Each structure stands twice: as C-alpha cells, then as structure tokens.
Amino acid sequence: MITASHVVKTYTAPDGTPVRALDDVSLNVDRGQIFGVLGQSGAGKSTLIRTLNLLERPDSGTVTINGEELTALSDNELRAARRRIGMVFQHFNLLGSRTARGNVELALEVAGMAAAERRRRSDEILDLVGLGSRAESYPAQLSGGQKQRVGIARALAAKPAVLLSDEATSALDPETTASILDLIKGISTELGLTVLLITHEMDVVKRICDGVALIEDGRILEQGGLVDLVSTPGSRLARQLFPLGPLPEGDADTVLDITFSGGSADRPVISQLARRYDLDVSILGASIEHLGGKQAGRTRLELPGPAAIHRDAIAGLRAQGLLVEVVRGGAE
C-alpha cells in the first residue's frame, strides 16, 4: 500500500555542507496495517513522511501509494493524488478563525465539494471522532486532544485510503495520547485505512502498531512486524520494546536473555527449566506486552556457572521455539 524504494533526500546546511536526511531508504507498509516509524530527533522521520506525500521531492528513488507512483506524477496529478492521502500534524495546524466544522470543511472546499455536501460530510466525520457536539466551537475553545481530533477529522474528510501522522500525540498528555491512539486504531479498523505514523515514543508503537521501522541518521536499520522483530536475534527494536536493564556485576555465572512470543509466552518455561535440570534459576528482569493481539516478552535469567555446563538446558529452551541469547557466561 505504501512503498518507498531507495529514496535519497539531501539538504544543504547553512555552511554549504550537504546533509543526507534520507540515505537509500526503502520501506513497505501493507494494506490495512498500522505502521510506526520510530526514531529520535534528527533521525529523518519528518523528512520521510514529507517525502512520502511528496511535500518534499526525493533526489532519487520512488514513492508508490495505493499502486500509484507519486514520484512519476505531474504537479496537477500530484495535487489530485494528495487528496487520497490524509495528513495529521503534531501541532494541529487549525485555522483559529474557523470553527471545528469549518476546519474540516476546508479540505472539502479545496476538493470542490458543494456546500451542502461539505456540511453533511463534516458533521459525519466529526461524529466519528467524538466531536459532533463541538462542531461550532473554535480552536481556542477546545482542549489539545479535541484540537487533534479536529485535525484527524480534517485528514479523513476526503475519504483517503492512507493516513499519515507526524508525531500527532507528542504535544499531548499521556491520558489524551492514549485516547487519540485508540481513536486512530478504531478508525483504521472501521474505515479500512492504512496508517503510517511517525513517533519517537516506543509506547505509541506498543499500543497500536502492527509493524515498525527503526530509523537512525537517515537510514532504516530494521523493519517488520512487531512479533517477528521480537523473535529476531540481535534486534535493537526488541531490546527497546522489552528493556531488561543493565547486567549485574560479576562474570562467574551464565546470563540468558529469553524471548517469548505467541504461544510460548504463557508456558511455565522457567519452572520447568529449574525442575528438569535441577538448577537454581534467578530471574534478573522481565518485560511482557501484548503486541498485535499476541503476548510477547523477554526475560533475563541467571544460571550458576559458565554456559558450557548448561548446553543441554539452553538447547532444551531453544527446542521449545524460544529465542535464547547468551549475554554472559562464555561459549555455549
């Protein structure tokens, strides 16, 4: 549904130095998916989302949305294509002189829709985002969460197939953030929308995303389904999803990081390990989440002695379909 292929975007710094904001970025988002792009400030997230709707033209590479290669379109064709792509902004970008209904209608005015139809559609979409009773309110009379709901309604007014969200919850408090994320998830399901959201917050990804990409210094380092990435050895995203903290001091004993996903997450793995191999198992840390409707997580265990004497125990864990990484204790 959304495909970026080998996209490069370079800017020129004030001192004349070229800065590569996007460096050979390739990205794929399936139809109906809620996909997060995770990265810190300056990683290239905002440049990426502005390139996906061609507000910024890439130096090279292609962008295709809903089967239409945007990078091959003329300016007139691109304007028409953008009406099928909704955009939600971090700071709302509402017109203070217009009511909530007026802000939603603005997108429909640009599309040339008749006044009566604009009114009907704006009221319909404001009801959908829970603001039917605030249609006549001006932005100054709305809370931050309500303003963002108006922004979402405006983005959905023209019935897009794709919704792009640029840090849409970063200016909101945690409770309001949760309600906006739940709204986006519900709308995606109800309308069959494909959603790509930019964020620096892992909690956003955990709450609603099916897939995620990690961007750093303009490059995509990892991408895929959340549960798939959790089960990928060495995944940085898995470590960020399930932080286990620093290793304890000392180097005499073996420390294992065990990743659970799908059906393995609710099995009594640790108690079985202790009984079967007569081991004193210490739990150093654990993190469990529900991702994409499935339980997944990581646990850090300490076993007495070096890894070499625990080969059978480690092999037994892996035979159960668990990802087991020896993070301390020498060779297996």
Side-chain angles (χ1 to χ4, degrees):
M1 186 64 170
I2 302 174
T3 302
S5 182
H6 303 292
V7 169
V8 173
K9 180 64 180 179
T10 303
Y11 296 106
T12 301
D15 63 359
T17 304
V19 177
R20 183 160 286 195
L22 297 177
D23 188 3
D24 195 29
V25 166
S26 292
L27 188 71
N28 187 70
V29 180
D30 294 334
R31 186 178 299 275
Q33 193 174 31
I34 301 179
F35 194 93
V37 178
L38 180 71
Q40 297 306 308
S41 178
K45 306 186 304 297
S46 293
T47 301
L48 175 60
I49 201 168
R50 289 175 62 83
T51 302
L52 290 177
N53 62 11
L54 269 288
L55 289 176
E56 300 275 0
R57 277 198 173 268
D59 303 333
S60 60
T62 61
V63 174
T64 301
I65 293 184
N66 201 19
E68 191 171 33
E69 185 183 329
L70 301 190
T71 39
L73 300 180
S74 67
D75 289 345
N76 286 339
E77 291 169 333
L78 184 57
R79 280 192 287 272
R82 286 204 191 104
R83 295 180 192 136
R84 298 184 285 275
I85 304 170
M87 184 78 176
V88 183
F89 300 93
Q90 177 179 356
H91 296 295
F92 321 132
N93 288 8
L94 302 180
L95 295 178
S97 60
R98 283 181 174 243
T99 63
R101 179 187 289 117
N103 271 280
V104 175
E105 286 190 7
L106 179 61
L108 303 175
E109 289 177 30
V110 173
M113 185 178 288
E117 182 62 14
R118 291 200 307 267
R119 175 69 175 256
R120 185 201 64 78
R121 176 59 180 166
S122 63
D123 286 349
E124 176 184 68
I125 206 69
L126 284 169
D127 281 339
L128 180 65
V129 301
L131 285 182
S133 64
R134 303 304 302 270
E136 295 299 329
S137 298
Y138 288 88
Q141 299 170 313
L142 301 174
S143 68
Q146 290 171 332
K147 290 176 186 176
Q148 195 55 282
R149 286 173 183 263
V150 175
I152 292 170
R154 180 184 57 195
L156 297 175
K159 300 182 179 180
V162 168
L163 182 66
L164 304 180
S165 168
D166 188 7
E167 298 271 16
T169 60
S170 64
L172 305 176
D173 62 77
E175 184 177 352
T176 305
T177 291
S179 71
I180 292 296
L181 293 175
D182 290 344
L183 173 65
I184 291 173
K185 187 174 181 65
I187 287 172
S188 172
T189 300
E190 183 173 344
L191 302 182
L193 275 177
T194 302
V195 179
L196 184 142
L197 56 88
I198 295 294
T199 184
H200 65 276
E201 299 174 282
M202 181 57 79
D203 286 344
V204 170
V205 173
K206 290 179 182 178
R207 191 172 186 95
I208 66 169
C209 290
D210 309 304
V212 63
L214 176 63
I215 187 169
E216 186 176 292
D217 295 328
R219 297 185 66 87
I220 299 292
L221 302 184
E222 294 182 56
Q223 64 177 300
L226 278 185
V227 176
D228 294 335
L229 287 168
V230 166
S231 303
T232 301
S235 169
R236 287 179 53 178
L237 278 166
R239 292 196 295 272
Q240 292 183 43
L241 279 164
F242 304 106
L244 296 176
L247 287 170
E249 295 182 2
D251 57 7
D253 295 327
T254 298
V255 176
L256 306 177
D257 283 355
I258 302 174
T259 300
F260 304 79
S261 61
S264 66
D266 57 2
R267 297 203 304 263
V269 171
I270 297 171
S271 60
Q272 290 175 354
L273 174 70
R275 289 197 305 269
R276 181 174 180 182
Y277 297 99
D278 192 24
L279 290 171
D280 293 325
V281 179
S282 299
I283 300 175
L284 302 179
S287 180
I288 305 293
E289 300 279 355
H290 278 85
L291 303 175
K294 298 178 181 179
Q295 196 175 54
R298 297 171 75 223
T299 299
R300 177 166 288 166
L301 304 181
E302 187 174 48
L303 310 181
I309 68 173
H310 301 305
R311 285 195 181 94
D312 289 346
I314 294 170
L317 290 170
R318 288 174 174 159
Q320 298 179 59
L322 303 172
L323 173 62
V324 181
E325 298 176 90
V326 179
V327 295
R328 196 179 72 194
E332 300 173 36

